Amino acid sequence: MKKIKKPFFRNKPDQKSKLILPYFCKGIIIVLAIILVFDFIITHSSINFRKYWYRPNLIAGHLNKYDVVMIKGEEFHLFLYGFHNKWVSYSSSNFRVAGVNMFGKVRAYQPGKAFIKVKSGEKEYKCRVRVVDINKEKLSLRVGERYRLKTRGIASIPKWRSSNPKVARVSMFGTVKAKAKGKATITATVKGRTLKCLVVVK
């Protein structure tokens, strides 16, 4: 009586499983690596990344802004997430610098620093407001004359630039020198905000 031979592939592992398993493990490792890298970026990233991409302030009980740099005369709306049915009150620590009305509209009055306090029940939140300004918005000079422009409100070194260096040049310290007749706009960038001064050379 002849013995029936069993198919050889039954005792051997499936070839497809051999191929799929390594790729599956690699996929898990890659996903975990991406999660770890993303977590590292969030915890060690700049303020701009967290501001535009990672937003924990969307959770109820958080302000839409905690730190604002404003130019004199500007307005912005400060509000609290998640308290639509509760009474919210606003107040300013320095109304000369920045004021706020009952609806949370903040207005910048003069260079300096103020804290806008937002209260809802027993909880209180604060938003720091810094107002920046330039000592001259319009300047008239004669050829060869100089004038020192300054920014006020924040102790930070601004970045100066002239729209027309052939008419008026500006140094890294804000000193403007009139070179030829015409007009030029001097800009100073402070904490991401741009201040302008129109220079007319006669």
Side-chain angles (χ1 to χ4, degrees), residues 49-59 81:
F49 180 89
R50 281 174 278 177
K51 179 181 177 182
Y52 293 107
W53 293 98
Y54 183 67
R55 299 186 177 185
N57 57 359
L58 293 178
I59 304 171
Y81 286 105

Side-chain angles (χ1 to χ4, degrees), residues 12 16 50 57 88 98 134 145 148 161 182 196:
K12 293 183 179 181
K16 290 183 179 180
R50 281 174 278 177
N57 57 359
V88 179
I134 194 167
E145 288 184 337
R148 174 78 183 277
R161 182 179 176 276
K196 296 182 180 181

Side-chain angles (χ1 to χ4, degrees), residues 21-140:
L21 188 62
Y23 286 110
F24 181 74
C25 294
K26 287 180 182 178
I28 293 175
I29 292 169
I30 291 170
V31 170
L32 290 174
I34 290 171
I35 292 170
L36 290 173
V37 170
F38 188 69
D39 182 67
F40 179 83
I41 291 171
I42 289 173
T43 54
H44 296 83
S45 63
S46 63
I47 294 173
N48 288 331
F49 180 89
R50 281 174 278 177
K51 179 181 177 182
Y52 293 107
W53 293 98
Y54 183 67
R55 299 186 177 185
N57 57 359
L58 293 178
I59 304 171
H62 287 78
L63 294 173
N64 61 323
K65 294 280 186 179
Y66 285 94
D67 192 5
V68 183
V69 178
M70 302 178 69
I71 298 173
K72 182 181 176 181
E74 278 189 341
E75 292 182 348
F76 93 99
H77 186 207
L78 181 67
F79 57 89
L80 195 60
Y81 286 105
F83 288 90
H84 302 291
N85 299 323
K86 293 184 179 181
W87 176 258
V88 179
S89 63
Y90 298 88
S91 62
S92 174
S93 64
N94 192 342
F95 276 97
R96 293 182 180 180
V97 173
V100 60
N101 63 12
M102 63 183 296
F103 303 107
K105 183 178 284 186
V106 181
R107 183 175 178 84
Y109 291 115
Q110 66 180 28
K113 182 173 69 175
F115 287 92
I116 304 300
K117 298 177 183 179
V118 183
K119 289 184 179 181
S120 179
E122 297 180 354
K123 293 185 178 181
E124 181 179 282
Y125 306 86
K126 290 183 180 180
C127 173
R128 182 176 67 167
V129 177
R130 291 176 290 175
V131 182
V132 293
D133 192 18
I134 194 167
N135 59 338
K136 285 282 186 179
E137 293 183 354
K138 190 174 182 179
L139 186 61
S140 181

Side-chain angles (χ1 to χ4, degrees), residues 5-21:
K5 292 183 179 180
K6 296 181 180 180
F8 69 97
F9 53 83
R10 287 186 180 179
N11 296 329
K12 293 183 179 181
D14 190 3
Q15 295 295 327
K16 290 183 179 180
S17 63
K18 280 186 176 182
L19 296 173
I20 293 171
L21 188 62

